[in-house]
Amino acid sequence: MTEKPTLPLEDLGRVIAEPARIRILSELLGGPALPAGALAARLGIAPSTTSAHLARLHDAGLIEVEQHGRSRLARLGDPAVAAAVEALLRLSGEQRVNSLASHDRRAAMREARSCYDHLAGRVGVAVADVALDRGWVREANGIWILPMGEDVSELADGFGLTLSWQHSSRPAIRPCPDWTERQPHIAGRLGRSLLDAMLDADWLRRRRDDRALTITAHGRERFTALGVAGL
């Protein structure tokens, strides 16, 4: 396996100091790989300019770029990059609202969105609260644990979801501070499994133009049954 390049902090800072590049990283925080053309459209910049920014981010080891036919697909390099981008977002303010479309987009992002491979936003924090309140997840000194270790059957039954559980060196669960709610949501392997299951069960659907997630009518019923209010 080829090792990813690593840069000194000051060089890395120069790479992400370009506004378009940090916006690209923010868009890729949604998880799925995006075509260069789609990123150009979201950012409102020329495809050639987008390609140049993608090349710089790739050289810095922050993203991966794959060629699929005529399309070039970009995704974040790994969960550590996603965590760093989310941390930067927590230090910043939300984008200004200057149109009805941007107001709706911000509201949707605050409600439910993907944070790399797990659920974030108000619904993501509420799901974490449910898991903690019912003892499916426990907290001790800021660390979250699964009481039954790698056995998540009780949690899956409680949510009414079929979880595809991955065994790996990645943490089974960790709290991920939410940049809009300022409270933690569920990350790690459990966070990924929950989001994947909610998408498969049609509680949530990905949106085409941003990383907000649409809550379906079925999803609203299921979240309400779990005690998530205000949907």
Side-chain angles (χ1 to χ4, degrees):
M1 180 181 297
T2 303
E3 290 189 6
K4 295 181 180 180
T6 55
L7 296 177
L9 181 59
E10 59 271 21
D11 292 339
L12 189 61
R14 280 190 284 269
V15 172
I16 63 176
E18 164 58 49
R21 292 180 197 144
I22 195 64
R23 288 181 62 197
I24 287 172
L25 293 175
S26 298
E27 292 294 341
L28 295 178
L29 194 58
L34 294 175
L39 286 168
R42 290 190 186 187
L43 272 62
I45 59 179
S48 58
T49 304
T50 302
S51 294
H53 287 314
L54 290 176
R56 190 71 183 92
L57 291 167
H58 180 265
D59 291 344
L62 297 174
I63 66 170
E64 296 176 354
V65 179
E66 299 177 0
Q67 192 74 34
H68 284 260
R70 295 184 177 181
S71 299
R72 298 173 68 233
L73 302 182
R75 62 167 54 88
L76 294 183
D78 57 39
V81 177
V85 175
E86 185 80 1
L88 289 173
L89 289 173
R90 290 198 301 273
L91 295 174
S92 67
E94 293 186 79
Q95 292 184 345
R96 294 178 181 176
V97 172
N98 51 21
S99 68
L100 180 60
S102 59
H103 175 274
D104 291 345
R105 183 176 186 271
R106 186 172 75 173
M109 289 277 285
R110 292 186 68 97
E111 184 79 347
R113 65 181 181 277
S114 51
C115 175
Y116 190 55
D117 62 359
H118 52 272
L119 176 63
R122 188 176 72 84
V123 175
V125 170
V127 165
D129 288 344
V130 168
L132 287 162
D133 289 345
R134 300 190 183 183
W136 302 329
V137 173
R138 293 181 183 169
E139 185 270 339
N141 299 318
I143 297 173
W144 287 3
I145 62 170
L146 296 173
M148 301 299 291
E150 298 286 317
D151 182 359
V152 294
S153 57
E154 182 179 357
L155 182 147
D157 291 342
F159 276 106
L161 292 167
T162 300
L163 299 185
S164 177
W165 189 245
Q166 303 285 333
H167 294 274
S168 73
S169 59
R170 185 181 179 189
I173 185 174
R174 67 175 180 84
C176 180
D178 195 284
W179 73 274
T180 55
E181 296 301 300
R182 309 293 170 171
Q183 298 181 64
H185 54 249
I186 296 174
R189 283 180 283 143
L190 178 61
R192 176 178 179 174
S193 294
L194 282 170
L195 178 55
D196 286 348
M198 289 174 183
L199 290 167
D200 289 342
D202 199 37
W203 294 20
L204 302 167
R205 294 176 187 168
R206 295 193 186 277
R207 298 191 354 162
R208 184 185 184 90
D209 298 324
D210 55 44
R211 63 187 181 96
L213 297 166
T214 297
I215 306 172
T216 66
H218 174 60
R220 291 183 187 279
E221 291 178 0
R222 297 304 307 140
F223 285 124
T224 299
L226 285 169
V228 179
L231 296 180

